[in-house]
Amino acid sequence: MVFKYKDREMFSGNQRLLIAKLTGKNETTDVVFGTGLVSVSPMEDEAEVTNFPADDVPDAATIAGASLLKGTLSFMQLDPDVRVKFFGQDATTNGKGYASTGVYPQRLVQYASLGSSKSGKKKLLVTVYPNMSVTGKPSKSTETNSADTPTPINWEASVQASGSDFYTTANGYRSAEFEFIFEGEEVDKVLEYIDGGGIITPNYTVTPK
């Protein structure tokens, strides 16, 4: 007998960054198109899990705290609307400069990763953080140009994400991170929806053509 694996699939990259305000159950407004997303770090959950022993069982009962993910986002450019509406920056009088105010808005953040299966089927992974905010101003490092390949400037910001009552699973569970997977003919339709500023909400269904 041969072990039967499922159709293998792989995803890569991060693109089509959208930032929006989550205003109600499956409702968003003020969608911002983000450009220059370089990387999203692993988002580590800082919620503590407490075990309660009983009957000589060390984890007879377990309670987990509310999920709080922390990580970093890296950009190769910061557009004005991203600076203001996500990073909480304010423009100078001449409109040419920006500075952090220390007030960081909470926003829904969504990005897409393309993929495929071994059988050749197109795949799409959409990651959504319903309630994300930066925890400090974006920082950058610079290096002098030399004979070597110039090092582009990247802006990096620490972020945190938590759940929202407006964005839940079918059974009403809140989560700080959601992953949606689409395949085959769905992929192009979903990408077209996202390209128009569409946010993938828990009740989203692919509209047939």
Side-chain angles (χ1 to χ4, degrees), residues 8 50 60 63 72 94 103 123 151 161 168 177 180 186 194:
R8 299 180 187 274
T50 303
I63 296 178
T72 58
N94 63 7
V103 179
K123 294 275 188 172
T151 301
T168 62
E177 179 182 33
F180 299 87
E186 295 179 328
I194 292 174

Side-chain angles (χ1 to χ4, degrees), residues 106-188:
Q106 292 182 325
R107 290 290 185 269
L108 178 149
V109 173
Q110 168 185 293
Y111 69 90
S113 302
L114 298 178
S116 63
S117 67
K118 188 175 181 180
S119 63
K121 184 180 296 184
K122 289 198 293 186
K123 294 275 188 172
L124 175 66
L125 171 65
V126 179
T127 303
V128 179
Y129 299 99
N131 195 30
M132 177 179 279
S133 63
V134 299
T135 59
K137 74 177 189 67
S139 61
K140 65 182 184 295
S141 63
T142 60
E143 294 182 17
T144 187
N145 285 338
S146 63
D148 300 327
T149 302
T151 301
I153 295 175
N154 281 350
W155 284 264
E156 187 172 283
S158 297
V159 295
Q160 65 181 24
S162 59
S164 170
D165 290 332
F166 296 148
Y167 206 105
T168 62
T169 67
N171 291 316
Y173 291 103
R174 297 170 17 142
S175 179
E177 179 182 33
F178 286 75
E179 293 180 342
F180 299 87
I181 297 177
F182 304 94
E183 61 182 27
E185 295 181 356
E186 295 179 328
V187 172
D188 289 337

Side-chain angles (χ1 to χ4, degrees), residues 58-94:
D59 55 352
T62 300
I63 296 178
S67 182
L68 179 64
L69 305 183
K70 290 193 174 184
T72 58
L73 299 182
S74 180
F75 292 81
M76 68 179 296
Q77 73 180 64
L78 294 181
D79 295 333
D81 50 1
V82 174
R83 286 180 179 272
V84 173
K85 296 182 179 181
F86 184 60
F87 288 105
Q89 296 187 351
D90 194 24
T92 56
T93 304
N94 63 7

Side-chain angles (χ1 to χ4, degrees), residues 19-110:
I19 300 168
K21 185 184 295 184
L22 185 60
T23 57
K25 199 80 170 179
N26 302 306
E27 296 178 358
T28 58
T29 60
D30 201 15
V31 178
V32 172
F33 291 75
T35 303
L37 178 64
V38 174
S39 65
V40 180
S41 76
M43 300 291 288
E44 298 184 2
D45 197 344
E46 296 207 341
E48 293 187 359
V49 176
T50 303
N51 294 319
F52 295 92
D55 303 320
D56 290 337
V57 178
D59 55 352
T62 300
I63 296 178
S67 182
L68 179 64
L69 305 183
K70 290 193 174 184
T72 58
L73 299 182
S74 180
F75 292 81
M76 68 179 296
Q77 73 180 64
L78 294 181
D79 295 333
D81 50 1
V82 174
R83 286 180 179 272
V84 173
K85 296 182 179 181
F86 184 60
F87 288 105
Q89 296 187 351
D90 194 24
T92 56
T93 304
N94 63 7
K96 298 297 183 180
Y98 296 89
S100 292
T101 64
V103 179
Y104 305 118
Q106 292 182 325
R107 290 290 185 269
L108 178 149
V109 173
Q110 168 185 293

